[in-house]
Amino acid sequence: MAGRPREFDRDAALEAAMHLFWRKGFAAASMHDLCEAMGVSSPSLYAAFGSKEELYLAAFAHYAATEGQAVWDRLADGATARAGVENLLMAAAETLPKSRIAPAGCMVALGAVSDEWPPSIARVVRKVRLDLLRSLHARLEAALADGELPAMTDIDALSRFYLSVFQGMAIQAKDGATPAELRSAAKAAMVAWPGEG
Amino acid sequence: MAGRPREFDRDAALEAAMHLFWRKGFAAASMHDLCEAMGVSSPSLYAAFGSKEELYLAAFAHYAATEGQAVWDRLADGATARAGVENLLMAAAETLPKSRIAPAGCMVALGAVSDEWPPSIARVVRKVRLDLLRSLHARLEAALADGELPAMTDIDALSRFYLSVFQGMAIQAKDGATPAELRSAAKAAMVAWPGEG
DNA sequence: CCAATTTTGTAACGATCGACACAGAATATG
DNA sequence: CATATTCTGTGTCGATCGTTACAAAATTGG
């Protein structure tokens, strides 16, 4: 087991690819752009990641495990499901708009919404989106069992509703909405919590 | 003023282009696909529409004037702003999922969300999205003036919130959500109407 | 019928894309 | 040092993209 050692940091390169994909999507981020952003020539890139599709999947997994997880973990914060959902939306309002270090939007919410994405990527992205719906659903179901929510609450509808608010916020962030504007929308959404008045 | 007459129906061809762009987005709908779907050879297409970008803009305008307008007009239906918003969301729940005649999603809500779109198109699409926000805002402002909404209601927040629900529903429709599922989410959103409970 | 004009289909253009062949350079092992 | 192995950069491959010459075909006006 020998060979010339790799001259670039694989994780740093993956992070750079993630940011470029995050900002430009899959198709618009050309291999030329990626090589430049990652500081790696294309044969090295292919040796390390296989193909552009596989590189995207690796970057997407990295995104889900870091940026995405950081926001979605807030759902578990707080004593009640209501607090968890509010924390989630507030964190989203803070994270979704463009900042000095991060592009606007969300790779999970906005990825593969048009059919111009490779099917293999679309399948993975949509699966993660459904996972978000499922974890929202699970949190609300627990709240129902705890008696936090009225017994006749429509959990399917409520989880789908709060997911739609999150996804809509992602689109508006892409259009330039500020954290304050998204917070106000999230605040308005929390009024729909069952038993509010 | 003479010349060989055009052999294809310009409006029918534009409608076909609209459906293809609606389903596949801008980049993934190649000129080859478009020519096939429109039943026109590419030089004829260029003579009639100018370029692929201009064709998209024409198809998008056609979409906004027909499919989009039909849904958004519901905002004016009903005696109250609340009824108008509910009608709008219910119409969206019916229209957004894939049907026998229409693709899933919405060209306005989901168009140009990634940066892989030509800037000229992104500018137009985002302007229309902002117009949606403005018309929602205007309807709620009128309701405020009529006393339908409490005097301290945050109109900016409320319009942005309902827009986000609509946009989120569009994403979920792309992921395969049914009209019934979207209706239930819309119903949950209406609970957030000020003074509910 | 003749000339002018516009559309049509075939075929091809240059540009760009993702992907890779190749040879040189850098390491580990014996 | 010699060999095997792996990485690196240059250059290029075939495919596909949007776009357009070109000539034949079809119409109107004189």
Side-chain angles (χ1 to χ4, degrees), chain A residues 2-5 30-31 42-43 46 51-52:
Chain A
R4 176 174 178 173
S30 69
M31 290 303 300
S42 99
Y46 275 86
S51 69
K52 191 187 179 189

Side-chain angles (χ1 to χ4, degrees), chain B residues 78-82 138-151 155 193:
Chain B
T80 61
R82 190 194 189 287
R139 186 68 190 91
L140 296 184
E141 208 163 29
L144 190 69
D146 288 355
E148 181 190 341
L149 285 173
I155 299 294
W193 193 268

